[in-house]
Amino acid sequence: MVAGNLVLIPGAGGVGRTVFEQLRAQDVPVRFMVRREDERAAELRALGAEVVIGDLTRPETVAAALQGVARMYFAMRVSPDHLLAATAVASVAREYGKLEALVDLSQMTVSQMTATSTEESHQQRLHWLAEQVLNWSGLPVVHIRPTAFLDTPLFTTMAARSIQENGTIALPFGTGRTSPVAVDDVARVVATVLRDPAPHIGQVYELTGPRSVDMTELAAEFSRALGRPVSYVDVPLDRWQAQGLSRMGLPPHIEQHVATMAQMHRDNRYDRTADGVERVTGTPAQSIEAFVAARRDFYLG
């Protein structure tokens, strides 16, 4: 492995874990920064990663984790601390002065936002502000803006539950269209940029699935993948929040974000397609049907 290519990845799961698997296959060295010693940290070490303890919101631990690092991937789970973390990382990385690339996992909704728009969630606003901070920092930044993930509970656990119960996908999206993208495809883009960042510095890559579909078309893709009828049921947004979302016990920040995503789908704000996955990796994003077919047992129970 080439130590000069050391990549820092925060967190032990999500897109970052999949990025690590792809970088490992190319012998690119990875250091994870995790918040605690646990089984996941031990597993990452066993797989060949270096692991350090730290917190993106604490500059002193970010500084320690950056030592010897050439490239950094910046991402967090949905959190009210997102902007604080982005500011801490930008400040420390600028002082560090040795990054070849800082790859930021943002959100595609940012492309539709302005400094004063108000229809978006608090999390989406934090992503917009974080992009401004990273751009102002003068660091070699690449922004990755995926649309809604196919792997989100909206299209996985919640869909699987209703498919098993009554053969439906019940969501409050109305006639809105959507083009969700798989975590694997987002990770392929991030890993490609981290392996050879120079051609990508200053770029913004928007990532979606291969086509935009309404929910009836989405249900049809599920039907073909699963070999059984699946239909879409449009649920009133307030009822879906009261009977489904609010019962999941999510923190208020996350619940507000998911509810806003649902409303924006209903308002057709997710009707968009982009070729970022294929443009960066040379391979198109996978379809909804392919994603579901690869997880057939999960959806059918």
Side-chain angles (χ1 to χ4, degrees), residues 18-174:
T18 309
V19 169
F20 163 61
E21 292 167 358
Q22 299 197 20
L23 292 178
R24 181 179 56 168
Q26 299 291 322
D27 287 332
V28 177
V30 171
R31 174 185 295 161
F32 277 94
M33 182 174 71
V34 300
R35 299 188 69 170
R36 64 185 64 85
E37 287 284 359
D38 57 18
E39 292 180 0
R40 291 197 301 174
E43 180 186 4
L44 292 171
R45 287 194 180 96
L47 291 171
E50 181 185 352
V51 179
V52 298
I53 307 302
D55 184 332
L56 287 172
T57 67
R58 295 176 55 197
E60 70 278 11
T61 65
V62 174
L66 272 176
Q67 295 307 305
V69 166
R71 303 159 190 177
M72 180 177 180
Y73 168 63
F74 172 71
M76 290 184 76
R77 293 180 179 273
V78 176
S79 168
D81 288 334
H82 186 91
L83 179 59
L84 172 60
T87 305
V89 167
S91 301
V92 172
R94 183 170 178 171
E95 185 173 302
Y96 174 61
K98 299 177 183 178
L99 280 186
E100 299 172 0
L102 178 59
V103 181
D104 166 46
L105 186 66
S106 185
Q107 292 191 3
M108 194 168 171
T109 306
V110 169
S111 64
Q112 302 172 327
M113 295 172 66
T114 69
T116 57
S117 57
T118 58
E119 298 85 7
E120 300 82 16
S121 73
H122 184 51
Q123 179 69 29
Q124 289 161 338
R125 174 55 53 188
L126 295 179
H127 276 282
W128 191 93
L129 291 168
E131 283 201 19
Q132 312 310 306
V133 168
L134 293 174
N135 291 340
W136 296 336
S137 72
L139 292 165
V141 176
V142 183
H143 295 297
I144 310 295
R145 294 178 180 170
T147 188
F149 285 125
L150 265 172
D151 310 62
T152 183
L154 295 172
F155 302 121
T156 55
T157 53
M158 295 176 73
R161 186 181 309 119
S162 59
I163 288 170
Q164 292 167 27
E165 289 176 354
N166 52 37
T168 67
I169 295 174
L171 288 169
F173 290 3

Side-chain angles (χ1 to χ4, degrees), residues 223-240:
S223 295
R224 290 192 294 271
L226 299 177
R228 60 165 290 184
V230 177
S231 58
Y232 172 58
V233 175
D234 183 34
V235 183
L237 182 59
D238 55 353
R239 193 175 84 195
W240 179 76

Side-chain angles (χ1 to χ4, degrees), residues 142 144 188-195 200 203-207 275-283:
V142 183
I144 310 295
R188 284 196 299 117
V189 171
V190 173
T192 299
V193 173
L194 287 169
R195 279 196 298 267
H200 306 283
Q203 297 298 309
V204 175
Y205 294 117
E206 297 183 343
L207 313 181
D275 65 352
V277 174
E278 184 171 11
R279 188 148 53 97
V280 175
T281 69
T283 304

